[in-house]
Amino acid sequence: MRQLAALVFSIILLSLAACGDGSDFSKALRERLQAFVIPSGAAAPTLLRGDYILVDKVAYRDSPPARGDVVVFWVSMVDKEVRPRDKYPKAEKMAFIFRIVGLPGDRVRIQKGDLYINRQPQTLTPIDEPDDLEGQPSQIYRVNGPGQSYKIVRLIEPDSASFDEVTVEPDRYFMMGDNRDRSYDSRFWGTVHRNDIFAKAWVIYFSKEPDTFRFRFSRFLHRIHESDG
């Protein structure tokens, strides 16, 4: 019964946000919320391929993005390669969704796959939770920090290149996927300008196995940010 109620509520919420019924309430929803579907596993285990999410388009109206936020942002596609949107404003744009790990002024470095922010290693706590994404043995970890708590996944035997320290430029953000060893993110194509951050991820309203019609009921109405402190 709870699963059915979650499914019905999700459908009603999405319908109001997408189409509306002419009421002020539905109009407010459309102005604030937008739906996306997750096409890849780069943000796993937080977001899985086949998750349908709602994002909050006004989350940063009065405050800047924070470290640990999962955000939707625009990038440019130049000769089928990803580039920062602000540097190629006339190119075809595409929406990406990753987590902010570096704020303006932060010094970011990756050493053998381990993330360092301002020369301090990110503290990871292993979780006794099996994972075998894409047939490769992996380990899930929990990241805890001020006002944030989330999971990432790492390959047990990664082939992770190091990334020399960079200082994040003013008004720019360093993005990484939670699927750390299988994510095409700021390590490869650069930082994202504040103006290209479109929304903050809010909730998974629906989820199913990507190649079947099997619903993942446990993910229905699941908040993407475990802690918003």
Side-chain angles (χ1 to χ4, degrees):
M1 181 62 70
R2 180 177 178 273
Q3 294 174 344
L4 178 60
L7 176 59
V8 171
F9 180 80
S10 298
I11 293 173
I12 293 173
L13 184 62
L14 177 62
S15 298
L16 287 172
C19 302
D21 59 2
S23 68
D24 290 341
F25 176 70
S26 64
K27 180 180 178 181
L29 278 179
R30 293 195 303 276
E31 290 177 350
R32 179 159 195 151
L33 303 178
Q34 185 165 329
F36 287 89
V37 60
I38 303 302
S40 76
T46 303
L47 296 172
L48 304 180
R49 192 162 69 98
D51 282 346
Y52 290 71
I53 71 170
L54 292 174
V55 303
D56 184 353
K57 296 185 288 185
V58 302
Y60 301 122
R61 178 178 292 172
D62 299 317
S63 60
R67 190 190 324 279
D69 285 0
V70 178
V71 297
V72 175
F73 55 93
W74 299 115
V75 297
S76 289
M77 302 301 297
V78 181
D79 297 327
K80 298 183 180 179
E81 295 292 332
V82 179
R83 295 289 185 270
R85 178 66 182 164
D86 65 307
K87 297 181 180 181
Y88 296 86
K90 296 182 180 180
E92 177 188 2
K93 69 178 182 179
M94 180 178 291
F96 270 24
I97 181 166
F98 284 132
R99 192 180 296 276
I100 295 174
V101 300
L103 302 176
D106 280 348
R107 293 173 293 181
V108 179
R109 172 168 64 96
I110 291 95
Q111 183 175 341
K112 296 182 179 179
D114 294 327
L115 174 64
Y116 290 75
I117 302 294
N118 298 322
R119 300 183 178 173
Q120 297 298 315
Q122 189 174 61
T123 302
L124 304 178
T125 303
I127 296 177
D128 186 16
E129 185 174 321
D131 181 66
D132 192 29
L133 291 175
E134 301 176 4
Q136 296 174 288
S138 308
Q139 172 66 53
I140 294 178
Y141 297 88
R142 178 167 292 282
V143 177
N144 285 298
Q148 57 182 308
S149 177
Y150 59 90
K151 297 176 184 177
I152 66 167
V153 62
R154 295 281 310 276
L155 292 176
I156 291 177
E157 296 183 1
D159 182 19
S160 299
S162 296
F163 183 89
D164 292 338
E165 183 176 278
V166 298
T167 299
V168 183
E169 310 97 306
D171 297 321
R172 305 189 75 86
Y173 295 82
F174 197 100
M175 309 290 185
M176 287 184 70
D178 289 347
N179 194 346
R180 288 288 173 83
D181 299 310
R182 291 164 287 198
S183 174
Y184 186 56
D185 49 37
S186 285
R187 291 171 284 183
F188 302 95
W189 43 257
T191 54
V192 175
H193 195 276
R194 168 67 181 87
N195 292 342
D196 292 320
I197 295 178
F198 172 70
K200 181 179 181 180
W202 175 43
V203 67
I204 301 167
Y205 67 87
F206 176 78
S207 183
K208 73 177 187 68
E209 296 289 344
D211 302 317
T212 70
F213 289 100
R214 182 180 177 184
F215 294 162
R216 295 186 288 222
F217 286 106
S218 64
R219 299 184 67 77
F220 284 25
L221 303 184
H222 178 74
R223 288 191 64 180
I224 293 166
H225 293 88
E226 297 183 24
S227 174
D228 289 327

